[in-house]
Amino acid sequence: MTTHNVTLIRGDGIGPEIAEVTRECLEATGVAFNWDVQEAGIDVMEAQGTPLPESVLESLRTNKVGIKAPITTPVGKGFRSVNVQLRKELDLYACVRPCKTYEGVSSRYKDIDLVVVRENTEDLYAGIEFERDADDTGKLLEFIQEFRPDSKIGTHPGISIKPISVSGTERVVQYAFDYARANGRKKVTAVHKANIMKFSDGLFLDVAREVAAKNSDIEFDDRIVDNMAMQLVQTPENYDVLVLPNLYGDIMSDLCAALVGGLGVAPGANIGEGGALFEPVHGSAPKYAGQDKVNPMAMILSGVLMLRHLGEVSAGDRLERAVAKVVAEGTHVTYDLRPGRSHQGAAGTKEMGRAIIRALEA
Ligand code: NAD
C-alpha cells in the first residue's frame, strides 16, 4: 500500500478544529498518510514574524500535495494574504471548485453538478496597476495617446492591465479537459467576453478552441460571460465543466456555490505544475474559533478531491458518500445545516466528524 506524503496546514481561527476532523476522516478511509503538519497564519505571525514561514513552502515543494485550513487575512494590518502568496509561490494556476447539490443542504436548486475551473494567475488579478495621478500613469497615458489616439479616457484615471497569454490559457484549458476526462465529465464550456475584448478574451477563446481540437473525446462549447450568468441561473443542468479567465472565474464560482447552498459547504483545489493544494472555500470565521461549532464538510470534501488527485478514487468516493449520508440524515450536523440555522440541537464539529467516520465504516 502506498503511503502518501501530504503537507497539512492547520490554519487559524476555526482552521485547526476542522483540520483535525478532516485528518481523522481521511485516515478512516484506510488510505495511509505521512502528514507533515505545518503552521501558518496569524498565530505564527507573532512567534516567527511572518504568517508564511519558508518551511511551509519547502514542505509543499517537497510533498507536492497539501491540504489547508483557512487562514485569516487581517484588514489593513499590512500582511499579504497567505492564500494569495501560496498560489503565487507555487504557481498554482488552476482553481477548481466542484459545486454539487447534497440533500440536506438548503438551496432552491436541485441536482446541480458543476465544476468551475478558474485561471488563477493572469487577467486583471496580475497586479499590473497604475494609480491615478502617479508619474508612471502619466507615461502610460502618453503611450496610449500615441498608439491609440482614438481612445477616450476621462481625467485622472486609475488603470489596471489585463494580460491573458497563450501559455496561461493553454495550460488551464488543458487542465479542464484532463479533469473532465479523469472525472467522467462530458463537456467543457469556455467562458469569455471575446466579442468586446478581442485581444485578451478573444485570445482566450481562440486558444481554448485549439486545445479543444486536441481533446475531441470531450464535447466543447463556449459562452459569453453575461449570457453564462443568466443560463446558470435558468438552466444549470446544461453545463458540466466551465473554464474561465481569473475575474469571471471568481464571480462565477460564487454564483455556482450559491446554487448549491453557499460558500460554507464548498470544497476547492489549487493546481499547478509544482503541486496541488486543497482547501475549503470559506474563511477562518474567527468568531467561532475554538467553540467546536462549525461545519467541517467543506474541508472534508476538499480531502475527497485530494484523495482522487492522489489516485485513491474509491476511498474518495466512499468518503464523499459518507458525508452525503450524514448531511442527508440531518441528525449529526452543525448549526448551519439545521432548519433555520439553529444552534439548538446542532452537533459540534467533532460530533459531525465522528458520524461521518461511522457512516464510512458502515
Ligand atoms: P468566513 O467564511 O470566515 O465566515 C463568514 C461566515 O460564514 C461566518 O461568520 C460563519 O457564520 C459562516 N461560516 C464560514 N465557515 C463556516 C463553517 N465551516 N461552518 C459554519 N459556518 C461557517 O468569511 P469572512 O468572515 O469574510 O472571513 C474571515 C477571515 O477568513 C478573513 O480574514 C478572510 O480574509 C479569511 N478568508 C480566508 C480564506 C482562505 O483561507 N482560503 C478564504 C476566505 C476568507
Side-chain angles (χ1 to χ4, degrees):
M1 187 168 66
T2 315
T3 300
H4 300 284
N5 295 327
V6 173
T7 303
L8 173 66
I9 304 172
R10 287 157 30 88
D12 57 35
I14 56 167
E17 301 161 52
I18 58 171
E20 201 43 48
V21 167
T22 300
R23 171 167 41 180
E24 284 164 14
C25 288
L26 285 167
E27 284 177 352
T29 62
V31 172
F33 292 99
N34 180 16
W35 300 107
D36 183 4
V37 179
Q38 293 285 335
E39 304 290 346
I42 43 174
D43 307 339
V44 183
M45 175 76 191
E46 274 147 38
Q48 303 204 28
T50 168
L52 181 58
E54 188 52 34
S55 63
V56 180
L57 290 167
E58 260 166 40
S59 170
L60 283 166
R61 286 192 193 108
T62 307
N63 292 330
K64 299 197 171 3
V65 180
I67 183 160
K68 173 186 155 299
I71 292 175
T72 305
T73 307
V75 179
K77 286 216 189 111
F79 77 68
R80 282 167 63 212
S81 160
V82 170
N83 308 304
V84 174
Q85 273 189 71
L86 277 168
R87 284 168 214 159
K88 276 209 164 134
E89 292 285 335
L90 301 166
D91 196 18
L92 302 174
Y93 62 81
C95 176
V96 184
R97 281 198 199 167
C99 296
K100 185 168 169 178
T101 305
Y102 290 95
E103 193 194 332
V105 180
S106 158
S107 163
R108 58 180 73 187
Y109 290 86
K110 284 199 176 79
D111 302 327
I112 302 284
D113 190 6
L114 291 161
V115 180
V116 179
V117 179
R118 165 188 173 189
E119 202 289 324
N120 232 357
T121 64
E122 302 200 302
D123 197 350
L124 287 163
Y125 288 69
I128 311 171
E129 300 217 283
F130 293 83
E131 195 178 359
R132 73 168 175 190
D133 298 334
D135 287 349
D136 54 0
T137 312
K139 289 196 182 108
L140 179 65
L141 285 169
E142 280 167 26
F143 178 88
I144 293 171
Q145 200 56 48
E146 186 181 344
F147 290 97
R148 296 289 180 278
D150 293 340
S151 46
K152 289 192 173 47
I153 300 179
T155 55
H156 307 289
I159 298 178
S160 302
I161 304 275
K162 172 171 164 147
I164 292 194
S165 70
V166 171
S167 53
T169 305
E170 265 172 4
R171 64 182 185 175
V172 75
V173 177
Q174 185 57 53
Y175 179 79
F177 277 101
D178 291 344
Y179 182 96
R181 191 171 297 112
N183 291 278
R185 300 271 170 174
K186 300 275 177 293
K187 185 169 82 168
V188 172
T189 303
V191 184
H192 58 85
K193 190 84 184 172
N195 50 334
I196 304 295
M197 280 159 281
K198 297 192 192 307
F199 300 144
S200 49
D201 286 31
L203 179 150
F204 185 85
L205 178 58
D206 287 348
V207 173
R209 284 183 172 143
E210 284 162 27
V211 175
K214 293 181 197 144
N215 292 269
S216 53
D217 54 320
I218 310 268
E219 199 188 326
F220 174 78
D221 63 5
D222 71 276
R223 291 286 178 275
I224 293 176
V225 63
D226 39 344
N227 179 246
M228 185 80 255
M230 189 180 73
Q231 294 211 19
L232 283 172
V233 171
Q234 286 184 329
T235 50
E237 65 279 4
N238 290 347
Y239 297 93
D240 192 346
V241 177
L242 311 179
V243 61
L244 315 89
N246 211 335
L247 177 62
Y248 310 144
D250 191 9
I251 298 167
M252 289 301 156
S253 23
D254 276 27
L255 190 157
C256 292
L259 300 177
V260 299
L263 301 180
V265 296
N270 294 288
I271 311 279
E273 305 296 351
L277 184 60
F278 298 83
E279 61 177 335
V281 174
H282 65 74
S284 58
K287 73 175 179 190
Y288 287 123
Q291 295 178 34
D292 189 34
K293 276 196 173 156
V294 295
N295 189 351
M297 171 177 174
M299 186 157 176
I300 297 171
L301 291 176
S302 305
V304 167
L305 301 180
M306 183 178 82
L307 284 170
R308 292 187 183 130
H309 176 87
L310 290 168
E312 302 286 359
V313 176
S314 78
D317 292 350
R318 279 192 297 122
L319 182 53
E320 186 184 11
R321 279 199 298 275
V323 172
K325 184 162 181 262
V326 169
V327 172
E329 281 169 3
T331 323
H332 301 285
V333 294
T334 46
Y335 76 95
D336 54 306
L337 299 179
R338 301 282 297 172
R341 294 174 72 86
S342 167
H343 286 266
Q344 234 181 8
T349 311
K350 287 185 190 147
E351 186 187 337
M352 186 163 166
R354 283 194 295 269
I356 291 168
I357 291 172
R358 281 197 301 276
L360 194 55
E361 287 162 354

